Amino acid sequence: MTRHVYVHIPFCPKVCPYCSFYKEASDRNKTQPFLDAVLRELDMRRDEGIALRPHTIFFGGGTPSALTVAQMEYLLGGLRGRLDLSELAEWTLEMNPATVSLEKAKLLRDLGVNRISMGVQAWDAPTLETLGRVHTADQSRHSYAVLREAGFDNVNLDHIFGVPGQSPEAWRDTLRQTIALQPDHISAYNLTYEEDTEFMRKFQRGEFAQDPDADADLFEQTADLLAGAGYEPYETSNFSRPGRRCAHNLAYWRGHDYLGLGPSAFSTVGEHRWSNVRDTAAYTQRILAGEFAADFHEPVSPELRRRESIAFGLRTSDGVERAWLQPWGARVDELASLGLISTVGERVVLTPKGRLLADSVAEVFV
Ligand SMILES: C[S@@+](CC[C@H](N)C(=O)[O-])C[C@H]1O[C@@H](n2cnc3c(N)ncnc32)[C@H](O)[C@@H]1O
Ligand code: SF4
């Protein structure tokens, strides 16, 4: 039984210069056939034999909130009609502050969405401008109030640090302003320069620079500030109030099966992993012609799953079972002697120093 469903909505009000998620500028003509394709893909996967009773659903993107009220009603209503939601615990939808309205928020609540993840990124105008965001800080504040007014009691706010021109003081101030709003969950991502983005081109031309030591400092300050405000650091970039961890992301990190619908979406079911074509028109055309739209397939052996669970698990505050690491005995001793991991009872976790090098530590096991 597959318990986790992801739906990729590839439309954004405007494309941000740092982002490499698969998306395109919203296009009214493409949207309705795309919505039909997502529902059709779900039908095709079920006909193929994938049994679904979701515990979590995640609408990500792109910007799912770029859909109109009528389009949301069509897509989410269509999903509701097709899925057994009797065991659904968490239904998240990502929003951009520029695309929030009370009407949309109330409709989402009525349709069963119970968690919102909104990309505020920063509260100061210069950083928002560097990031090419379509919204102002005032708009983010207003949209957050709208979500609360609509009854959402589980809201995440996304942030980015290490942005060119963003001073450590500006970043701390962003965190303080967010803490004052008391969201239930906070994501704080270190800016990454992704292939094929305007930011990467500026980086390569020497217009933007990266300072890993400064970023490590910011990371430590972030964890301290948020822990002091009652947010538990449960994964490298994620902090939550008690009981508000993101169950969907935890399922990925624990290596559970998930079905992804929409262009570029990954799925892992049993010993098979695939991802759909990164092209909305091609995705829509293929699905509506009754063909699957995957252009990547990979066998997932229990051994690979184990390795991935270790790499992801180490990024979480729960760490991984000590017994799982037995095959890497000498490397584990080495990481411990470098002060990067430590043993707590039967589990191995990253130390604060290890958290700064989480990706390099994880690489040892994959
Ligand atoms: C799909 S977007 C969230 C929803 C919506 N599209 C928005 O931007 O408001 C997911 C999040 O990834 C983060 N992100 C995207 N590109 C990033 C990058 N290059 N480095 C760090 N974080 C990034 C941002 O914080 C963003 O809010
Ligand atoms: S950060 Fe969000 S709004 Fe900006 S391009 Fe990426 S998905 Fe779209």
Side-chain angles (χ1 to χ4, degrees), residues 49-296:
I50 295 180
L52 292 162
R53 198 178 308 128
H55 287 174
T56 70
I57 302 177
F58 196 105
F59 272 60
T63 304
S65 57
L67 298 178
T68 63
V69 166
Q71 290 164 346
M72 281 180 175
E73 206 161 9
Y74 184 82
L75 180 62
L76 278 70
L79 217 78
R80 285 195 70 93
R82 287 166 170 79
L83 290 171
D84 174 353
L85 299 182
S86 59
E87 293 177 18
L88 188 70
E90 182 187 280
W91 187 346
T92 303
L93 187 133
E94 288 188 327
M95 297 186 108
N96 177 307
T99 55
V100 175
S101 70
L102 188 58
E103 190 190 4
K104 259 184 211 176
K106 282 187 169 161
L107 174 81
L108 291 172
R109 272 308 280 141
D110 291 346
L111 287 168
V113 174
N114 58 10
R115 182 174 186 272
I116 295 293
S117 177
M118 187 167 75
V120 301
Q121 320 304 357
W123 293 106
D124 63 302
T127 305
L128 288 173
E129 187 166 342
T130 306
L131 290 172
R133 298 293 292 179
V134 275
H135 55 87
T136 61
D138 279 348
Q139 240 174 328
S140 298
R141 208 165 278 112
H142 175 73
S143 295
Y144 179 79
V146 163
L147 294 175
R148 292 303 201 194
E149 188 185 339
F152 283 102
D153 63 0
N154 196 0
V155 176
N156 167 57
L157 298 181
D158 278 340
H159 304 76
I160 304 183
F161 66 90
V163 179
Q166 180 191 42
S167 67
E169 186 45 50
W171 169 241
R172 286 193 293 271
D173 194 55
T174 274
L175 285 176
R176 283 190 208 105
Q177 293 205 44
T178 289
I179 290 167
L181 292 175
Q182 296 283 297
D184 308 277
H185 187 288
I186 296 176
S187 298
Y189 300 110
N190 193 176
L191 175 70
T192 42
Y193 288 89
E194 305 278 359
E195 290 300 324
D196 289 328
T197 61
E198 203 182 311
F199 266 36
M200 180 56 119
R201 286 187 282 280
K202 288 195 172 176
F203 180 71
Q204 285 165 339
R205 290 200 297 264
E207 291 167 40
F208 284 169
Q210 209 175 13
D211 182 346
D213 290 337
D215 286 353
D217 263 2
L218 292 177
F219 176 78
E220 269 184 286
Q221 291 180 30
T222 303
D224 288 349
L225 250 165
L226 294 182
Y231 291 91
E232 181 201 17
Y234 73 99
E235 194 267 349
T236 310
S237 308
N238 289 288
F239 304 81
S240 85
R241 294 206 160 286
R244 291 299 198 209
R245 295 176 176 197
C246 175
H248 188 83
N249 284 339
L250 280 170
Y252 287 149
W253 300 329
R254 290 177 179 155
H256 296 178
D257 280 359
Y258 55 91
L259 176 68
L261 305 171
S264 82
F266 273 80
S267 302
T268 305
V269 179
E271 298 202 356
H272 185 195
R273 175 171 297 153
W274 67 92
S275 72
N276 285 339
V277 58
R278 284 170 69 92
D279 179 329
T280 305
Y283 165 82
T284 303
Q285 206 176 12
R286 280 169 65 173
I287 295 286
L288 293 183
E291 293 165 29
F292 287 122
D295 64 353
F296 164 81

Side-chain angles (χ1 to χ4, degrees), residues 328-338 341:
W328 291 272
R331 302 301 304 274
V332 170
D333 292 345
E334 197 185 323
L335 291 170
S337 67
L338 289 168
I341 58 173

Side-chain angles (χ1 to χ4, degrees), residues 29-40:
N29 295 327
K30 280 190 184 169
T31 314
Q32 186 56 41
F34 163 76
L35 301 178
D36 286 326
V38 171
L39 295 175
R40 182 80 185 275

